[in-house]
Structure formats: structure tokens, C-alpha cells
Amino acid sequence: MEAQFIERYHSHQPSEHQCSSSLVKHIKAPVDIVWSLVRRFDQPQKYKPFISRCTVKGDLTIGSVREVNVKSGLPATTSTERLELLDDEEHILGIRIVGGDHRLKNYSSVITVHPETLDGRPGTLVIESFVVDVPEGNTKEETCYFVKALINCNLKSLADVSERMAMQGGVLPVSVTWSSSNQIET
Ligand code: A8S
């Protein structure tokens, strides 16, 4: 399954001076909850732990640009990012970094979310992939390691926030939910 999704949505074509990779996370929350966080191009700080602020110029359609402020302690303060792809049917978000005071040039990423069953409950498979230039003075390995560490933090936090939201949804025991909804319908 994973391999098929990666082939279908995450096949970047890195050139010689670029690095590319994909990361996978399994989340114990329904796909709707996870997608509701991922799709908010205007509010990445809802789950991304390194982002302090975000402002969007535009109407959140393809081509909209967001200005992201990064928390202190990181090797950057701002990033300018363009919305490349937002598909609410297939659950795909694509962005491209077009500016900022960091070292990630020609960075673009795709994140997709897919329903799956985890321990017999609705869960979500999240896949995020990227391609980026290897900066002068760095190796491919170093660049990949740095970006993957950041994305892993984002995906871990996405899981934490989603799972908390799923818990707060206050799912009733199956029997109670069923009998009460049956009574309303009949
Ligand atoms: C994302 C992915 C990444 C964000 C990186 C890799 C970044 O926001 C941080 C540090 C940097 O040096 C680059 O989807 C940049 O957020 C946390 C400012 C772009």
C-alpha cells in the first residue's frame, strides 16, 4: 500500500545536486481529523512545532503565498511558501518554498493522508516527501538528515494533536451510539 501511494503521489525527480526522500507516519485518529489539520495552508502552526506565526496573501487557492515565522533557536526566522496543490478529494497538499532567510533552496513537498485501520479502529497513514537543493558546502546525506529530522518532528506533532482531537471527540461505547441513533431514525 505504502509503496503504491509513494509511487503515485511522491515520485520526485531529483537532479544531481538535489536530495529527496519520503517519510511515513501512522496516526491513531480518523483521516478527517488529520486532513482537517493538514489542509490548513493558512495555519501550519496548528501542528508544526517550529512555526510561531503565519500570514497568507491571497484567497487560499493554488498560488497563494504564506509568510511563515520560525521560532527562535533554528537556523532561520522566515520562510515564504506557495500553495501548489490542494486536493480535498484525494487528500493531497503540495507546497513550494519560494523565499526566506534559510538554506533550503528549491524545496518542494507533498503530504498525503490515507485512511487505514489500526488496532481495529479508524486510523490514518500519512506520507510526506520532499525534494531540495543540496546547499554549497553540504553533502546530500547532511541535507536529507536535516530535513527529515524537521519533518519527523512535524509528523510526530501532527499525530499528537490529531490523537488528542480524536479522544476529545468523546466517542461513546459502540452499543450506546448504535441504540441512540437507531431510536432517532425510526
Ligand atoms: C515544513 C518543512 C520544513 C520546514 C523548515 C523542512 C523550516 O520551516 C524550518 C527550519 C529551516 O531551517 C527551514 O513543512 C525552514 O515545515 C523549521 C524555515 C523552511
Side-chain angles (χ1 to χ4, degrees):
M1 257 332 212
E2 267 170 42
Q4 277 174 19
F5 289 138
I6 290 175
E7 197 184 316
R8 176 143 182 221
Y9 302 108
H10 300 271
S11 50
H12 302 278
Q13 256 113 43
S15 62
E16 195 39 52
H17 64 285
Q18 290 188 311
C19 75
S20 178
S21 189
S22 52
L23 296 90
V24 165
K25 180 88 188 161
H26 298 273
I27 299 183
K28 290 179 183 162
V31 71
D32 293 344
I33 289 181
V34 179
W35 179 242
S36 74
L37 289 160
V38 169
R39 73 181 299 283
R40 291 301 299 265
F41 179 72
D42 57 332
Q43 301 205 323
Q45 71 275 21
K46 287 263 170 180
Y47 76 90
K48 291 186 181 182
F50 304 121
I51 295 182
S52 56
R53 215 171 85 92
C54 174
T55 49
V56 174
K57 306 176 201 105
D59 50 6
L60 294 176
T61 54
I62 306 303
S64 295
V65 171
R66 72 184 174 196
E67 196 70 43
V68 163
N69 289 50
V70 179
K71 287 185 185 166
S72 60
L74 287 148
T77 61
T78 62
S79 179
T80 311
E81 307 177 352
R82 183 178 183 275
L83 181 61
E84 299 281 289
L85 183 59
L86 177 63
D87 187 327
D88 278 311
E89 254 78 68
E90 299 231 56
H91 299 151
I92 317 168
L93 175 85
I95 68 140
R96 164 172 276 280
I97 298 187
V98 294
D101 62 352
H102 52 77
R103 304 188 68 212
L104 300 183
K105 300 292 168 248
N106 290 317
Y107 180 93
S108 63
S109 69
V110 174
I111 182 165
T112 59
V113 308
H114 314 270
E116 67 175 350
T117 304
L118 290 174
D119 308 329
R121 292 163 182 270
T124 303
L125 167 66
V126 181
I127 307 173
E128 182 160 356
S129 62
F130 69 89
V131 61
V132 67
D133 289 2
V134 175
E136 282 270 325
N138 286 99
T139 63
K140 261 184 204 177
E141 288 67 33
E142 288 165 343
T143 309
C144 239
Y145 183 87
F146 172 70
V147 174
K148 283 166 81 172
L150 293 175
I151 292 179
N152 268 325
C153 289
N154 285 345
L155 294 180
K156 173 79 177 67
S157 172
L158 177 63
D160 291 344
V161 175
S162 303
E163 287 167 8
R164 203 185 319 132
M165 284 168 72
M167 300 285 277
Q168 285 167 352
V171 179
L172 293 165
V174 171
S175 57
V176 176
T177 314
W178 271 90
S179 60
S180 55
S181 62
N182 283 350
Q183 276 165 23
I184 293 162
E185 294 206 351
T186 52

